[in-house]
Amino acid sequence: MKRSSIVDGCILAFQFFSTIPIKVSVPWDDKRAKWSVRFYPFVGLIFGLATYGIFLAIDHFTLISPLATSIILLLLPIFLTGGLHIDGFLDCSDAFFSYRDQKRRLEIMKDSRVGAFGVLALLIFLLTKWLFIFETIQSAHFFSLSLLFVFIPIFSRTWIGFLFVYGKPAASSGIAFEMKKYLTKKDSYYFLAVLLVVVCFFSYWNGFLALIFVGMLTLYFISTYFFYHRNFGGITGDMLGAYIEGQEWFMWGILWVLHYFVMA
């Protein structure tokens, strides 16, 4: 039976952006490419539900310490994505901290070798993210906020849709360049609708955090957008992966700060 473009787009989204084994051949055309990007927030939802379920299982049925739990929660997204976004973060860090011009930075990102700048940036990134997770989940208030495991990956993969639509490809090849050919400004309405639905659910659940996250993530998107275009001349697939990792790090950082100064 012939599948619809929407179903095929969903399959492509999981094949591209996750390690979930879906061994189905999908034809490539503009409609399926467009829907693969549109389903990216749904991929975030599945990742979030998996993380939330694992957190609840650990909390209810095991004696695993908060330290071990935080390490599992740190590593789980890496396993779910096959390290795809971490690889983008590494490449972007190597390129940016080389302090070269835009052309040379793009060449460095294409290099499969990992430099010292990338390793150091990743080490700092993982250690600080682990700190945010570890200390936040120990908060007396956190269990009531544990649905954030679902909302965080949805937010990051919804905002990435705006970067896909409005970002200028920095190179004439790669995933950002290829996907950009199939997206128009009208697709931003789709991601805006998804974002509004997520924010409505979030606000109903916790209006205080919703207000903080929407404001801070809007600023994060704007600053990252201009940072990419100023330092790299646009976006690439590596930058999209780095954006997701960076935004999720940023959201955990917000929670960590709130834990100490607001919810303590």
Side-chain angles (χ1 to χ4, degrees):
M1 186 174 73
K2 187 176 180 180
R3 297 184 304 270
S4 69
S5 298
I6 297 176
V7 174
D8 280 349
C10 182
I11 293 172
L12 283 172
F14 281 98
Q15 288 179 335
F16 284 161
F17 305 117
S18 81
T19 55
I20 298 174
I22 304 178
K23 298 181 180 180
V24 177
S25 178
V26 178
W28 181 263
D29 56 35
D30 58 341
K31 289 183 178 180
R32 289 172 173 83
K34 184 188 292 286
W35 276 106
S36 70
V37 178
R38 287 179 171 180
F39 268 106
Y40 209 18
F42 181 68
V43 174
L45 171 63
I46 298 303
F47 284 3
L49 289 172
T51 306
Y52 181 58
I54 289 172
F55 172 75
L56 291 181
I58 290 173
D59 185 75
H60 283 85
F61 304 114
T62 75
L63 298 176
I64 294 177
S65 68
L67 174 61
T69 301
S70 63
I71 293 174
I72 292 171
L73 296 174
L74 174 69
L75 297 179
L76 183 61
I78 300 175
F79 288 121
L80 289 173
T81 62
L84 179 66
H85 304 323
I86 286 291
D87 179 69
F89 179 85
L90 270 169
D91 290 340
C92 287
S93 299
D94 261 340
F96 175 71
F97 290 111
S98 69
Y99 300 108
R100 304 294 184 87
D101 58 29
Q102 289 182 358
K103 182 179 179 181
R104 180 57 183 148
R105 283 173 173 171
L106 293 176
E107 291 173 353
I108 291 172
M109 275 197 288
K110 292 179 181 179
D111 194 333
S112 60
R113 294 171 296 179
V114 178
F117 293 122
V119 173
L120 287 172
L122 181 61
L123 180 63
I124 295 170
F125 169 81
L126 291 177
L127 283 175
T128 51
K129 186 178 179 181
W130 167 78
L131 171 67
F132 298 155
I133 295 173
F134 175 59
E135 295 202 343
T136 303
I137 66 174
Q138 292 190 93
S139 166
H141 304 273
F142 182 73
F143 193 82
S144 64
L145 301 177
S146 56
L147 270 175
L148 284 166
F149 285 121
V150 179
F151 283 110
I152 285 176
I154 298 176
F155 269 125
S156 64
R157 287 159 179 80
T158 302
W159 280 101
I160 205 70
F162 294 108
L163 199 57
F164 257 125
V165 172
Y166 291 108
K168 181 184 73 173
S172 57
S173 62
I175 189 170
F177 176 79
E178 290 299 324
M179 291 299 191
K180 183 68 177 179
K181 293 189 295 186
Y182 305 111
L183 297 172
T184 66
K185 294 294 176 62
K186 291 182 179 179
D187 289 293
S188 64
Y189 301 141
Y190 170 85
F191 291 107
L192 180 61
V194 172
L195 185 62
L196 289 175
V197 170
V198 175
V199 170
C200 285
F201 276 104
F202 201 162
S203 299
Y204 178 77
W205 172 62
N206 192 309
F208 171 71
L209 277 180
L211 180 64
I212 291 178
F213 270 163
V214 170
M216 296 302 291
L217 294 182
T218 301
L219 292 175
Y220 181 85
F221 174 82
I222 294 171
S223 60
T224 305
Y225 173 88
F226 285 109
F227 173 83
Y228 283 163
H229 285 74
R230 182 175 66 253
N231 291 285
F232 298 96
I235 61 170
T236 66
D238 284 331
M239 293 177 207
L240 295 170
Y243 181 91
I244 290 174
E245 292 293 342
Q247 181 170 301
E248 293 190 1
W249 176 92
F250 186 61
M251 284 187 277
W252 278 108
I254 292 172
L255 290 173
W256 182 69
V257 171
L258 291 176
H259 159 60
Y260 274 103
F261 298 103
V262 180
M263 298 185 296

